[in-house]
Amino acid sequence: MTTLITGARGKIGRAVTDRLHAAGLPVRAASAHPVELTAPVGVEVAELVLNRPDTFPAALNGVRQVFLYPEPEGIDAFVETARTAGVEHIVLLSSASVLGADAETDPLASHSLRVERALTGAGLPCVTLLRPDAFASNALGWAHRIGRNLPVELAYPDAHLAPIHPDDIADIAVKALTGTSLRGRAVTLTGAQSLTFREQLAILSDVLGRHIPVETISRVEAERQMGRFMPAPMAGSLLTLWAAATAGPAAIADTTETLLGQSARSFRQWASENSTAFRTH
């Protein structure tokens, strides 16, 4: 039963591909840029652009399961092609943001929510929804300033999050694709510990062996800075989320401990594994 992995160039997609292949299961790694994929020997590679339906039939041919990244543009055509191809199970990498009261209008949440609704309303044999909250790897957004010994500027340094290690998400995704305990469920995923941005930076300081200064800036300034890298509505959505998160510790949802019976990887572990990204350069 071949499993198609979308976004196979990404950290989680690569990890899911590697785990399934190591288990001896047939995998097809898909990307919008397949020539740039580095897949294990024996893994098929396919072109798949999630907003280009002409790439769907070949990528889905002979596939029975899909690990899917959310892309609302083209999702209806993707679902129809998957149904025609005989796909039996789709595991969607969604987002915990879809659970928010304003998910339908929020620019972050609505992206994933539209895909969830398209999948669950399509009459597919089985859909599993994985809804991770904050990724530990979001801390890479600080790498440029930390690597140049500049202070990290934050509007809400005391916002609480429960960051999840990307490898934990990959382990849970593999379980969803290969077992029955998660099949057809919608699960919200977090790390096992609530940490403020300030506490995450303190861990990075400890790992790097040097002080990382933190400066509080205004929301207006944060919006200006973030607007260089993302649309203004998305920046505003994140800042509103972080402002609300200053109220207290983040709720801990399902983790690899509750779902797989294995300890969740910590933010400190992620920081140690990725410390070179923050080194002075």
Side-chain angles (χ1 to χ4, degrees):
M1 181 169 67
T2 298
T3 300
L4 177 71
I5 309 298
T6 72
R9 291 173 61 223
K11 169 70 175 176
I12 295 172
R14 287 200 310 270
V16 173
T17 300
D18 290 348
R19 284 159 169 73
L20 292 177
H21 179 66
L25 300 172
V27 186
R28 182 176 299 157
S31 170
H33 305 284
V35 295
E36 298 175 16
L37 267 176
T38 304
V41 175
V43 170
E44 284 185 75
V45 173
E47 179 185 28
L48 178 64
V49 186
L50 288 171
N51 59 4
R52 274 184 47 201
D54 61 292
T55 66
F56 299 167
L60 287 165
N61 183 43
V63 166
R64 292 295 173 267
Q65 291 196 114
V66 179
F67 178 67
L68 182 65
Y69 277 73
E71 172 50 68
E73 185 180 348
I75 185 58
D76 291 334
F78 185 86
V79 167
E80 184 56 36
T81 307
R83 186 190 293 111
T84 300
V87 171
E88 299 168 356
H89 185 202
I90 294 180
V91 175
L92 176 69
L93 184 63
S94 185
S95 166
S97 63
V98 302
L99 301 173
D102 58 349
E104 291 195 16
T105 56
D106 181 88
L108 288 174
S110 61
H111 185 91
S112 294
L113 183 61
R114 288 165 59 192
V115 177
E116 283 199 9
R117 287 179 172 174
L119 294 176
T120 56
L124 292 165
C126 187
V127 174
T128 301
L129 306 176
L130 304 182
R131 296 168 172 164
D133 207 343
F135 287 28
S137 51
N138 290 346
L140 290 170
W142 302 324
H144 177 84
R145 296 190 68 84
I146 293 173
R148 288 161 178 77
N149 290 313
L150 298 172
V152 174
E153 298 177 331
L154 298 168
Y156 303 105
D158 296 306
H160 297 258
L161 304 169
I164 183 170
H165 195 299
D167 280 338
D168 281 3
I169 301 174
D171 285 346
I172 292 167
V174 169
K175 181 68 171 181
L177 290 163
T178 60
T180 59
S181 61
L182 298 180
R183 192 176 178 88
R185 292 175 58 186
V187 288
T188 303
L189 309 176
T190 66
Q193 183 181 17
S194 177
L195 295 168
T196 64
F197 286 136
R198 197 186 301 276
E199 289 168 336
Q200 291 179 44
L201 286 161
I203 290 171
L204 280 166
S205 291
D206 189 47
V207 168
L208 296 173
R210 60 184 175 85
H211 178 62
I212 299 173
V214 181
E215 292 185 2
T216 303
I217 59 175
S218 69
R219 177 175 177 133
V220 170
E221 174 59 19
E223 287 177 334
R224 186 190 69 79
Q225 292 184 12
M226 293 168 68
R228 300 172 188 162
F229 310 105
M230 65 182 69
M234 188 173 294
S237 177
L238 281 170
L239 287 163
T240 297
L241 176 68
W242 296 336
T246 61
I252 306 302
D254 274 311
T255 67
T256 54
E257 177 68 36
T258 61
L259 296 176
L260 308 181
Q262 64 189 46
S263 297
R265 297 172 177 87
S266 66
F267 180 81
R268 179 175 291 275
Q269 178 177 341
W270 179 88
S272 298
E273 292 167 350
N274 294 273
S275 62
T276 55
F278 300 91
R279 298 292 180 187
T280 302
H281 52 273

